C-alpha cells in the first residue's frame, strides 16, 4: 500500500527540527527508523502532511556509560544495541529485549527512541526501560527536560512528549554490583509482537537479599505497566521459590489484558505469571554470578 502524499523535510540540527515541529504543529510527524510510522501511514492510521526525517542529525546515535548512566542516543538502531559489547556484557536485559524485537530487517532501521516515542504498549523496550528505571531526555523550544520513564506513557499511543519535542536520549542508571535483569516474551511466531512479556531487573546484597526490583509488563494494558506491588513485595526478601511465586502472582494481578487474537484474558494473565517467575529466576541467577 502507498501512503498518502506528504512533504518530506530533512533538518540537519535539533533546533532546526524543533522549529519545523513548531511551524507545522499537528500536521507534522518525526521520522526515525520509519518501522512504525510508515506502516501506520500506509494503513491510513497516521496522515501527517509533513514528515520530518531526523535521521541525518548527528550526535543522536550512541551507546556509552557516562556520569552514572548508560546513555543510548534516541536514533540508536536496534541492530547497534544488539551487537554492542557493552550491552551484551553489562546489560543482559537490553540484549534480551532488542533480540526479540521484530526481525533483523526491522532491527536494522528501527530506533530505540522511536520504540519508546511511539507509545505502543505492545513494543518491547518500554517495559524494559520501566524495569531499569530509565529516564527519557526530551529536547524542545525551552531546552532539555528529563522525564522519568514511569511518567512517560500516558495512554494508548500517547506519551509525555510535547508535540514540539524530540526524544534525544535514554538514560539508564548504572546499577550497583550484583544487579542484573532479564526480558522474556511469548510471541505467536518469530517477529510478532508479544502476546505478553515481562522485564525484570534486580539488585541483590551479599546474602542474596533483594535490595531493589524493577518489573515492567508488555502488551497487557493500554500502556506498558510498572508492577509496583510485585516490586515492593520483593524488597528485603530472599529470592527463593516462594517469594518469586508470590511476586509473579502480584505481577499477574497488576496486568490489565484484553482478549484479542492473541488470546483470552485469563490466558494472558497466566502467561504474565509464568514469564515473571522465569524472568525473576533468570535475573536472580545472573545477578548472583
Ligand atoms: C514487521 C514489524 C514487526 C515489529 N515487531 C515489533 C516487536 O516485536 N517489538 C517491538 O517493540 N516493535 C516491533 N515493531 C515496531 C517497531 O520496531 C518499533 O515501533 C520501532 O522501534 C519504532 O522505531 P522507529 O525508529 O522505526 O520509529 P518511527 O516509525 O520512525 O516512529 C514511530 C513514532 O515515534 C515518533 N518518533 C520517532 N522517533 C522520535 C523521536 N526521536 N522523538 C519524538 N518522536 C519520535 C514518530 O513520529 C512516530 O510517531 C515492529 C515493526 C514491524 C514493521
Amino acid at each position: 500500500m502507498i501512503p498518502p502524499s506528504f512533504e518530506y523535510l530533512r533538518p540537519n540540527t535539533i533546533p532546526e527540527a524543533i522549529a519545523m515541529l513548531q511551524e507545522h504543529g499537528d500536521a507534522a510527524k518525526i521520522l526515525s527508523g520509519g518501522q512504525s510510522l510508515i506502516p501506520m501511514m500506509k494503513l491510513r492510521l497516521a496522515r501527517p502532511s509533513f514528515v520530518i526525517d531526523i535521521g541525518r542529525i548527528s550526535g543522536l546515535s550512541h551507546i556509552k556509560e557516562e556520569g552514572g548512566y548508560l546513555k543510548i542516543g534516541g536514533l540508536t538502531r536496534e541492530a547497534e544495541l544488539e551487537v554492542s559489547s557493552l550491552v551484551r556484557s553489562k546489560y543482559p536485559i537490553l540484549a534480551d529485549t532488542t533480540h526479540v524485537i521484530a526481525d533483523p530487517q526491522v532491527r536494522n532501521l528501527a530506533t530505540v527512541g522511536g520504540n519508546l516515542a511511539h507509545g505502543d504498549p505492545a513494543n518491547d523496550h518500554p517495559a524494559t526501560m520501566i524495569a531499569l528505571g530509565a529516564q527519557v531526555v526530551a529536547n524542545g523550544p525551552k531546552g532539555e527536560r528529563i522525564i522519568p520513564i514511569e511518567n512517560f506513557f500516558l495512554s494508548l499511543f500517547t506519551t509525555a512528549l510535547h508535540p514540539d519535542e524530540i526524544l534525544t536520549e535514554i538514560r539508564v542508571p548504572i546499577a550497583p554490583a550484583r544487579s542484573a535483569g532479564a526480558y522474556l516474551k511469548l510471541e505467536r511466531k518469530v517477529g510478532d509482537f508479544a502476546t505478553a512479556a515481562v522485564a525484570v531487573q534486580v539488585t541483590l546484597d551479599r546474602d542474596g537479599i533483594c535490595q531493589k526490583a524493577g518489573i515492567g509488563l508488555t502488551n497487557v494494558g493500554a500502556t506498558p505497566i510498572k508492577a509496583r506491588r510485585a516490586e515492593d513485595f520483593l524488597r528485603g526478601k530472599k529470592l527463593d521459590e516462594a517469594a518469586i511465586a508470590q511476586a509473579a502472582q502480584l505481577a499477574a494481578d497488576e496486568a490489565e489484558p484484553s482478549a484479542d487474537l492473541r488470546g483470552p484474558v485469563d490466558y494472558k494473565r497466566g502467561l504474565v505469571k509464568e514469564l515473571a517467575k522465569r524472568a525473576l529466576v533468570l535475573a536472580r541467577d545472573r545477578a548472583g554470578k
Side-chain angles (χ1 to χ4, degrees):
M1 273 170 77
I2 299 170
S5 64
F6 56 87
E7 199 168 321
Y8 175 78
L9 306 172
R10 207 173 75 188
N12 292 309
T13 64
I14 294 172
E16 228 183 285
I18 292 168
M20 288 172 178
L21 282 173
Q22 284 186 290
E23 185 184 347
H24 300 298
D26 282 350
K29 275 272 181 203
I30 294 286
L31 176 79
S32 286
Q35 296 306 293
S36 287
L37 181 61
I38 301 296
M40 289 192 78
M41 288 169 66
K42 287 180 174 179
L43 292 168
R44 277 30 180 195
L45 295 171
R47 304 181 78 114
S49 305
F50 300 88
V51 169
I52 304 172
D53 181 356
I54 60 170
R56 285 185 179 70
I57 299 179
S58 59
L60 292 181
S61 183
H62 51 258
I63 306 166
K64 60 184 177 192
E65 287 187 328
E66 192 179 76
Y69 293 94
L70 172 72
K71 296 184 172 176
I72 302 170
L75 275 184
T76 306
R77 313 269 177 201
E78 297 296 343
E80 294 173 277
L81 208 60
E82 207 178 358
V83 297
S84 158
S85 51
L86 175 61
V87 167
R88 284 179 174 208
S89 61
K90 287 188 66 179
Y91 300 90
I93 184 175
L94 280 174
D96 290 348
T97 307
T98 191
H99 187 62
V100 295
I101 290 177
D103 51 53
Q105 262 181 313
V106 170
R107 295 200 292 270
N108 280 337
L109 288 171
T111 67
V112 184
N115 197 289
L116 297 178
H118 192 44
D120 186 344
N123 275 4
D124 292 296
H125 275 302
T128 291
M129 295 303 176
I130 285 172
L132 287 167
Q135 299 172 350
V136 170
V137 182
N139 267 257
K142 293 184 186 149
E144 186 178 288
R145 81 185 168 109
I146 308 286
I147 310 167
I149 196 77
E150 63 251 49
N151 301 336
F152 187 71
F153 302 103
L154 301 183
S155 59
L156 194 66
F157 294 110
T158 308
T159 71
L161 284 175
H162 297 154
D164 53 8
E165 282 182 324
I166 296 171
L167 190 164
T168 50
E169 193 173 71
I170 301 107
R171 294 184 184 160
V172 174
I174 297 176
R178 290 180 294 279
S179 299
Y183 185 71
L184 294 182
K185 164 177 175 176
L186 188 90
E187 52 197 5
R188 291 175 303 176
K189 60 183 175 58
V190 172
D192 192 17
F193 288 93
T195 301
V198 178
V200 167
Q201 173 78 8
V202 294
T203 299
L204 309 179
D205 71 7
R206 285 180 191 285
D207 302 318
I209 305 294
C210 178
Q211 301 297 295
K212 195 175 174 199
I215 302 179
L217 312 179
T218 299
N219 214 10
V220 284
T223 62
I225 290 173
K226 182 171 167 65
R228 290 176 196 274
R229 275 185 284 140
E231 292 176 352
D232 291 345
F233 169 79
L234 286 170
R235 211 168 305 119
K237 301 254 176 10
K238 190 154 187 87
L239 297 190
D240 56 20
E241 210 178 306
I244 285 177
Q246 195 159 343
Q249 181 63 58
L250 287 170
D253 293 344
E254 289 176 86
E256 296 163 5
S258 321
D260 60 16
L261 286 175
R262 291 188 172 86
V265 167
D266 287 350
Y267 167 68
K268 292 185 181 183
R269 219 182 271 288
L271 204 48
V272 169
K273 184 175 168 186
E274 186 58 33
L275 291 172
K277 201 164 34 167
R278 293 184 193 193
L280 277 162
V281 168
L282 189 52
R284 176 199 67 191
D285 292 350
R286 283 172 169 173
K289 271 190 186 156

